[in-house]
Amino acid sequence: MKPTDSAAPAPRLRRLVVPALPAAFTVLAALTLLTGVIWTLGERRALFPSGTVGWSLAVLTGIIVGHLVALGRDRWWGGTGSGAALALAVVLLYGWMPAVLVSLSVVVLVGAARRHRWRQAVLHGAVDLLGVGAAALGSAALGSTATVRRPWHPEVWDLSVLPQVVAAAACYLLVTRGLLWCTLLPRGGGLPTVTRTALTRQMLVGVALFGIAPLIAVTADHAPLLLPFYAVPLIALDSTLWIARARAEEQLRDPLTGLPNRQWLLERTWSALDEAERIEARCALVLIDLDRFRSVNDTLGHLAGDRLLLQIADRLRDALPRGAEAARLGGDEFAVLLPTADSLTSAQRVARNLVATLGSPLDLDGLTLVLEASAGVAVFPDHALDAEGLLRRADVAMYQAKRDRSGVEVYEARRDGNTPDRLGLLGDLRRALDAGDVELHYQPKVGFDGQVAGLEALVRWVHPDRGRVPPDEFIAIAETSGLMPRLTEYVLETALAQVARWRAMGLEVPVAVNVSPRDVHSPGFAGAVAARLARHRVPPGALQLEITEHVLLEDPQRAADTLAGLTGHGVKMSLDDFGTGYSSLVHLRRLPVSELKIDRSFVARLAVDNEDAEIVRCTLDLAHSLGLLVVAEGVEDDETWERLRDLGCDAVQGWLVAAAMPPDETTAWLRARGKSGWHRESETAALAAEKAADRPSGQVLN
């Protein structure tokens, strides 16, 4: 999904403006500081008070800095409450420049002690400097311009000083919180939870500023030696803010594994997308789900399942590539964020490595368990431009991997039934089924003796606005929604009605209908098919259902019961697309089929590829040894016909025989060949004429 032209300028503007804000604030703060220093020195004024007051303020500042350094590397995020209170008190008493020195001492020195966060220190120092300047202006607006030489000494510390304190504190808070808000606001339109909590809690600093800052000012005015004792309430203020932030971080952690949770993942993904957009790189999200983990809980209990999840989380952490971050979304679902990805292929490679790692044997109380995993990959900007969209599309790809048993899938829009365009197409398909606007075309299968072996019913839909919609597109939409049973019901009803009409004309030919695994797993499906046969008075032998081996992958027992019920009613079964999935002797033994169809991907290169020819030969030998008939799909030339006949194939289907035709054309075709059978020589000439006339392809698409 790509952005439209009209939406393109906004991301570009965002990419230019957002990273420029911290730099702009820093430059503005540096110029302001330089101007203030030059002006103060030019006026031969002191930068900081001397004597007892100056030393007491310096000691108090040093205690606060030491406390913040002692908090530890991970307990400081750049802002403080103690520094703000102390700076506000100093700006009230001695003006802007001394307050700036106090603020910079707290923020910059603590930031320097954490070298990996020096950018945060510079940003917070710049913001604090501008906030102190705003507080000085707010105080000046009420007529007080304090300096080191002429401090602010109210005659009486009563309610008359409250407006000046409130003005200075309000200006400081509004400027500092506003600038940080603009700087930290991500593209998603909301602040990350931890940052939002920190800013919200720091708004409470305002209350502390109103209470503590005037007290510090009064003490500095009357008893400066007592100033260091304010370290106790100021440190308590910082500790309160840190506890609030720690609790916010706990809300972003999974309590079992300690991994970040879904909310953290979305917020972190937004940040990664901003950075990827800025440097014009890719960002990938991998969603991982453990296959059949529920059976572990059901068999061994939830406590054992929790211990297993802990092992999975540890493996995931150890297997992460450099820079990648993992999260647990809930249950047995995990996610891995790749902030930078070289390409779709590299993201897919990482996903395969993670799936392989999680699939290694696990030990649980002496019991060795092997859990398989499925992963879906979505990449920015190829598949989505926002965090929620990237997560949803990785989820779509993951479920596709689970359905196909392929391990890892990259998101494909054509297989996603949840895009606005495809949702619209789904609604149109539903209305077309209700109105009977979906058609069935029929493609013949013939034996090498020229006799018609049957017909396959193929769905065709001409959309009133889009024109002909490819079957693989709208059938995929139906399969990923709840519409597939309705589509199968429509096809069965239409096909059986047509079979009944043909039988009334004396044309007795079996018709094959494709059914999906979802149909086979639907309760009562076998009985519903038998009821339709009875209603149309069509013998069960006139209907053949084509299935794939996927019917056994989700619920083998229910699928086996349904298939046994269908064959018990006399309905014949055909195994479609043989060789393209998880074909095995076990599946062939468990499926009650009488016919096997070799996929066109092997037939197409039969005459030129020895490996494909050997696969077809082995398939024919295997099927015949099991008493199955074999039909080859996609036969389009005489050479392939000859090779299949020599190999002993029973019947063929494809352009060489006939394209898929509407009912009227199929009727005429059946009548023309009812007595004399099908002759390849005459049909080859007819096919050449059709191709010359650019007749639409009759390729089989299920």
Side-chain angles (χ1 to χ4, degrees):
M1 179 178 176
K2 295 182 179 180
T4 60
D5 293 340
S6 60
R12 285 198 294 269
L13 182 62
R14 173 75 185 170
R15 186 167 64 235
L16 292 173
V17 172
V18 174
L21 286 177
F25 297 156
T26 303
V27 170
L28 178 61
L31 291 176
T32 304
L33 177 62
L34 182 62
T35 301
V37 170
I38 293 175
W39 179 78
T40 302
L41 294 178
E43 294 287 327
R44 295 185 178 180
R45 296 180 179 181
L47 295 176
F48 200 77
S50 59
T52 304
V53 174
W55 282 107
S56 297
L57 287 174
V59 170
L60 179 57
T61 303
I63 294 174
I64 292 173
V65 170
H67 160 69
L68 293 175
V69 171
L71 272 177
R73 185 176 296 258
D74 297 326
R75 295 189 180 188
W76 187 78
W77 61 94
T80 68
S82 56
L86 185 56
L88 181 60
V90 174
V91 80
L92 286 171
L93 283 175
Y94 300 107
W96 179 75
M97 180 55 64
V100 166
L101 294 179
V102 170
S103 176
L104 291 182
S105 297
V106 174
V107 177
V108 175
L109 290 178
V110 176
R114 286 141 181 80
R115 288 170 292 179
H116 70 303
R117 293 188 177 181
W118 67 270
R119 293 179 185 272
Q120 274 185 295
V122 171
L123 172 62
H124 280 273
V127 168
D128 221 45
L129 189 150
L130 295 175
V132 169
L137 292 176
S139 181
L142 296 180
S144 174
T145 307
T147 63
V148 174
R149 182 181 299 175
R150 291 184 299 175
W152 181 52
H153 291 300
E155 295 181 3
V156 180
W157 288 89
D158 56 13
L159 293 178
S160 62
V161 304
L162 186 60
Q164 189 161 336
V165 174
V166 172
C171 290
Y172 175 84
L173 284 173
L174 288 175
V175 170
T176 55
R177 299 320 118 178
L179 293 180
L180 287 177
W181 187 282
C182 293
T183 304
L184 300 175
L185 185 67
R187 196 176 41 157
L191 283 172
T193 298
V194 173
T195 305
R196 184 172 60 248
T197 301
L199 290 179
T200 301
R201 292 293 189 272
Q202 285 192 41
M203 292 301 293
L204 299 178
V205 173
V207 177
L209 294 180
F210 297 152
I212 297 178
L215 292 178
I216 295 176
V218 171
T219 303
D221 192 15
H222 293 88
L225 286 175
L226 298 179
L227 283 175
F229 290 98
Y230 279 96
V232 176
L234 291 177
I235 289 174
L237 177 61
D238 278 339
S239 298
T240 301
L241 292 175
W242 176 80
I243 290 171
R245 179 181 175 86
R247 288 179 177 174
E249 289 179 337
E250 287 177 3
Q251 296 175 5
L252 300 180
R253 292 279 171 182
D254 172 52
L256 175 64
T257 63
L259 289 173
N261 61 17
R262 180 185 295 269
Q263 185 178 357
W264 176 93
L265 177 71
L266 287 173
E267 294 175 356
R268 179 65 187 90
T269 302
W270 272 117
S271 300
L273 295 186
D274 279 333
E275 180 63 17
E277 187 178 67
R278 186 179 68 82
I279 64 176
E280 297 183 350
R282 281 187 168 93
C283 174
L285 194 62
V286 180
L287 202 61
I288 303 173
D289 188 83
L290 303 179
D291 297 338
R292 297 182 297 279
F293 180 78
R294 182 178 177 182
S295 61
V296 175
N297 283 334
D298 294 342
T299 304
L300 303 178
H302 288 277
L303 289 178
D306 288 348
R307 295 207 306 277
L308 206 58
L309 287 173
L310 286 171
Q311 292 190 45
I312 292 293
D314 289 340
R315 281 195 175 182
L316 197 58
R317 288 189 189 96
D318 295 340
L320 290 177
R322 181 184 296 273
E325 299 169 275
R328 183 190 177 205
L329 305 187
D332 58 347
E333 196 171 54
F334 297 84
V336 172
L337 174 66
L338 305 176
T340 56
D342 296 333
S343 62
L344 293 173
T345 303
S346 65
Q348 189 177 21
R349 187 184 308 116
V350 170
R352 292 197 182 281
N353 291 338
L354 294 173
V355 167
T357 300
L358 298 183
S360 300
L362 292 161
D363 180 76
L364 187 65
D365 298 333
L367 181 65
T368 300
L369 300 176
V370 177
L371 292 179
E372 296 180 351
S374 298
V377 181
V379 177
F380 166 89
D382 305 71
H383 302 141
L385 300 177
D386 58 88
E388 291 82 359
L390 206 63
L391 179 60
R392 186 183 64 78
R393 286 171 182 173
D395 188 63
V396 170
M398 184 268 290
Y399 276 104
Q400 190 64 48
K402 290 180 79 70
R403 281 192 297 268
D404 293 349
R405 308 286 294 174
S406 57
V408 176
E409 289 288 341
V410 176
Y411 174 80
E412 295 182 34
R414 67 180 182 84
R415 305 177 80 176
D416 183 1
N418 298 319
T419 62
D421 181 67
R422 292 171 71 82
L423 286 176
L425 198 62
L426 176 62
D428 293 341
L429 177 59
R430 192 185 303 275
R431 286 187 288 272
L433 291 174
D434 293 337
D437 292 336
V438 176
E439 300 178 349
L440 289 189
H441 288 195
Y442 300 87
Q443 188 170 42
K445 298 182 284 186
V446 302
F448 289 91
D449 59 358
Q451 296 302 310
V452 179
L455 301 169
E456 181 179 4
L458 301 171
V459 188
R460 298 291 183 262
W461 179 30
V462 179
H463 191 278
D465 299 321
R466 303 169 184 248
R468 186 179 296 275
V469 183
D472 59 344
E473 181 176 347
F474 68 81
I475 289 177
I477 294 175
E479 285 180 340
T480 55
S481 68
L483 193 58
M484 195 63 210
R486 174 74 180 90
L487 179 59
T488 301
E489 176 185 333
Y490 179 90
V491 172
L492 279 171
E493 191 71 21
T494 305
L496 290 177
Q498 184 60 56
V499 170
R501 285 193 289 271
W502 279 330
R503 292 180 65 82
M505 300 175 189
L507 300 173
E508 298 184 3
V509 58
V511 171
V513 172
N514 291 277
V515 293
S516 74
R518 179 173 293 187
D519 299 320
V520 177
H521 292 140
S522 299
F525 179 69
V529 172
R532 283 195 171 83
L533 287 167
R535 188 168 62 253
H536 289 283
R537 297 181 180 180
V538 173
L543 175 66
Q544 186 178 55
L545 297 182
E546 294 192 2
I547 60 173
T548 64
E549 292 166 287
H550 287 85
V551 299
L552 292 179
L553 296 180
E554 294 184 14
D555 192 340
Q557 188 56 52
R558 173 174 287 182
D561 293 342
T562 301
L563 297 177
L566 289 166
T567 54
H569 287 301
V571 178
K572 295 180 179 180
M573 310 296 295
S574 175
L575 182 60
D576 197 12
D577 298 335
F578 186 81
T580 60
Y582 292 83
S583 305
S584 69
L585 291 174
V586 174
H587 288 173
L588 282 177
R589 181 172 57 83
R590 296 179 62 184
L591 290 171
V593 297
S594 58
E595 178 184 278
L596 183 150
K597 299 184 74 173
I598 303 177
D599 188 72
R600 62 187 304 109
S601 61
F602 298 107
V603 175
R605 295 178 53 81
L606 176 64
V608 296
D609 192 312
N610 291 332
E611 289 186 0
D612 284 354
E614 187 63 21
I615 291 173
V616 172
R617 185 191 65 78
C618 292
T619 302
L620 285 164
D621 292 343
L622 173 62
H624 287 157
S625 68
L626 296 174
L628 304 178
L629 297 176
V630 180
V631 177
E633 297 179 301
V635 179
E636 300 180 0
D637 56 74
D638 292 334
E639 190 173 1
T640 303
W641 167 281
E642 298 290 351
R643 291 294 299 273
L644 288 168
R645 184 183 62 183
D646 294 342
L647 290 171
C649 188
D650 299 295
V652 298
Q653 178 181 350
W655 279 11
L656 185 64
V657 176
M661 301 170 286
D664 291 343
E665 290 187 30
T666 306
T667 301
W669 190 92
L670 290 172
R671 281 177 170 167
R673 291 148 184 86
K675 294 181 179 180
S676 59
W678 183 85
H679 297 284
R680 177 165 55 89
E681 294 76 9
S682 59
E683 292 294 339
T684 302
L687 177 64
E690 289 172 0
K691 287 185 176 180
D694 292 329
R695 174 172 177 160
S697 169
Q699 176 178 331
V700 179
L701 289 173
N702 295 327

